[in-house]
Amino acid sequence: MVAGGAALLAGTALAGWDTPGDTPNIELVESGHGRGMSQLGAFDSARQGSVAERILAHYYPGATLGTVPTTTVAVRLMDRDDAGLDVYAAAGLRVAGRELESGQVAHMTALPDGGANVAVTVGCDGEVLWQTATKDPWIYPMDPRPGRPAAEHLTLCGGPSYRGALGVASEDGAARTVNRVDIEDYLLGVVPAEVQANWADKGANEALRAQAIAARSYALAEQRYPYAQTCDTADCQVYPGTAKEDQRASTAIATTAGTVLLRDGRILRAEYSAAPDAGAPTDITTFEVGPEPAELAVGKPPTDPRVDAAVPASAIENEYARIGGESSAIGAPLGPEMRLPQNGGTYRLFTNGVIIATPTLGAQIVDFTTLMRLVPDPAVPPSESTGDTPQTDAEAPMSDEPVAQPEQAPDPAVTDGPARDSVPQDDSVPGE
């Protein structure tokens, strides 16, 4: 086998092993349990010229190499247990079938039926723009494909950024947060967190490649929870999102794309550790196995269905559809549904009018003046306005016909918001 080779046929037998020499004093995440590949032993062997395939052959004798199709892995984010999910992205995101702009934040909480409540705010702590319930408990990036730039990563308010989609689940009444991510994007976070990317500068790039194959195999063979295959701590594999991504590790991962360890045709749960010595070969029959590569979901990264069909349409949406939608006299929508003060109902602005919905009157078309009596300008105290007492929902007259386009409608878009960059990366070289 040739060093750096990435394309390996399913069932290819692993090559022999070079005996490792003295292990250098390299700092790793933790000492580990000593089962499977020794990361320090892999480092030493790579420095002596062994390729990743030979390193793996030593630690997992009898295993073969195979390839998996494009697939995703669901990761439980343990630090987010019993917490809500508050997410933004510099490039915007999608949630509940709608697109959010830069600066808008989606707040999601799990419901017992598997759905979620969603509220969208200006910034992490700003005013609520709209809220709804959804049967699709996921927040999606604007572009679901792997390998996307930092502006498209989903960022937690006050926390790290993640590739892929973020969602919520309920486990025995407790809230859980899950990252569903392309397996190759997942490894971009795992490999430089489990070992050090600067190994590539020390003549041990093949140890990074071996780590990528072992980590890919481990994750795809896992099935820990009904809602997630694996977790993000050392109990599974350390996965800090994008925080430790490093181009040196990313290059090593790319040269192994799709490669996994197999036992009897099934993906091997390839345990490994930072054991302080070179380690020893493992009886792979003591390791669990996962699915066959062909059983994995093919070719579908986390993606938004765009239309949240499982959620009933709102009263405003139903009325808009009844009068003919965008081809009707009130024209195209100018923004999302908004709430009236004191939760008195909702309204939505259109090019030539407004649709308002209240519990007592249902959904009706109103003119812009009527709306402003219900939603007064906060900059103008009531005593300085028209002098009229604002009418309640029940008092406000409703027009049966759309009205002419108002001279100026408020812009529902808001520009203030959270920082737009993903979690900054530390340029220092770990372990040096």
Side-chain angles (χ1 to χ4, degrees):
M1 295 188 177
V2 180
L8 295 166
L9 298 177
T12 301
L14 292 168
W17 165 255
D18 286 343
T19 303
D22 295 333
T23 301
N25 184 19
I26 302 294
E27 189 176 315
L28 286 176
V29 174
E30 58 179 27
S31 62
H33 47 62
R35 285 164 54 88
M37 182 179 70
S38 163
Q39 293 161 312
L40 292 174
F43 173 92
D44 183 73
S45 181
R47 296 244 298 186
Q48 294 188 33
S50 288
V51 297
E53 294 79 9
R54 300 182 78 177
I55 294 171
L56 296 170
H58 172 70
Y59 287 112
Y60 308 102
T64 58
L65 290 176
T67 55
V68 296
T70 300
T71 191
T72 61
V73 61
V75 187
R76 175 181 172 183
L77 307 183
M78 303 290 281
D79 285 347
R80 306 298 303 173
D81 281 358
D82 302 313
L85 181 58
D86 312 299
V87 178
Y88 64 93
L93 53 84
R94 295 182 180 131
V95 64
R98 306 183 189 183
E99 292 188 0
L100 270 60
E101 301 174 357
S102 174
Q104 295 178 347
V105 177
H107 305 266
M108 179 173 280
T109 53
L111 293 174
D113 64 359
N117 280 324
V118 178
V120 174
T121 64
V122 181
C124 288
D125 301 307
E127 64 173 309
V128 176
L129 300 177
W130 58 269
Q131 53 191 353
T132 189
T134 176
K135 295 296 184 183
D136 181 24
W138 292 93
I139 300 171
Y140 302 91
M142 292 299 288
D143 189 325
R145 293 174 296 175
R148 303 302 298 166
E152 298 179 25
H153 301 166
L154 300 183
T155 303
L156 300 177
C157 288
S161 296
Y162 293 88
R163 297 174 182 270
L166 290 167
V168 295
S170 181
E171 182 179 32
D172 298 326
R176 301 289 183 255
T177 299
V178 181
N179 179 207
R180 194 171 71 207
V181 58
D182 180 89
I183 186 63
E184 304 303 321
D185 275 359
Y186 165 74
L187 293 175
L188 297 178
V190 168
V191 172
E194 282 286 352
V195 293
Q196 297 176 32
N198 64 1
W199 283 9
D201 305 327
K202 299 175 180 291
N205 186 66
E206 291 300 307
L208 296 179
R209 295 183 67 245
Q211 178 67 51
I213 295 170
R216 186 183 293 109
S217 305
Y218 184 94
L220 293 179
E222 284 257 88
Q223 191 54 68
R224 290 190 178 233
Y225 318 103
Y227 52 86
Q229 289 157 269
T230 190
C231 67
D232 65 341
T233 69
D235 288 340
C236 303
Q237 296 184 118
V238 177
Y239 172 60
T242 66
K244 290 192 173 183
E245 288 186 8
D246 188 289
Q247 186 56 52
R248 294 166 294 188
S250 301
T251 300
I253 294 163
T255 67
T256 73
T259 306
V260 292
L261 290 160
L262 304 174
R263 189 188 83 202
D264 299 327
R266 308 190 75 85
I267 302 173
L268 182 70
R269 188 172 175 267
E271 297 181 27
Y272 56 85
S273 76
D277 54 28
T282 302
D283 180 0
I284 63 171
T285 64
T286 64
F287 289 166
E288 297 176 2
V289 292
E292 296 178 0
E295 295 173 353
L296 297 172
V298 179
K300 289 227 174 182
T303 183
D304 182 6
R306 300 296 300 271
V307 177
D308 197 7
V311 179
S314 69
I316 290 176
E317 290 169 333
N318 285 333
E319 177 65 11
Y320 187 49
R322 186 190 69 79
I323 63 175
E326 195 164 332
S327 62
S328 68
I330 67 171
L334 296 177
E337 291 185 23
M338 310 282 281
R339 298 203 67 82
L340 292 169
Q342 287 79 51
N343 290 324
T346 57
Y347 69 94
R348 190 173 190 182
L349 299 175
F350 296 84
T351 305
N352 299 315
V354 183
I355 299 179
I356 187 169
T358 72
T360 55
L361 298 174
Q364 297 189 29
I365 300 169
V366 302
D367 57 42
F368 186 67
T369 302
T370 300
L371 175 67
M372 294 314 294
R373 285 201 294 268
L374 296 171
V375 189
D377 185 345
V380 181
S383 61
E384 297 179 16
S385 60
T386 61
D388 297 331
T389 302
Q391 293 173 292
T392 65
D393 291 352
E395 295 170 335
M398 300 293 176
S399 170
D400 292 331
E401 298 294 331
V403 298
Q405 181 176 356
E407 294 182 1
Q408 183 176 1
D411 183 1
V414 183
T415 56
D416 294 336
R420 281 152 168 67
D421 293 330
S422 63
V423 178
Q425 302 296 309
D426 187 352
D427 290 331
S428 62
V429 179
E432 297 234 330

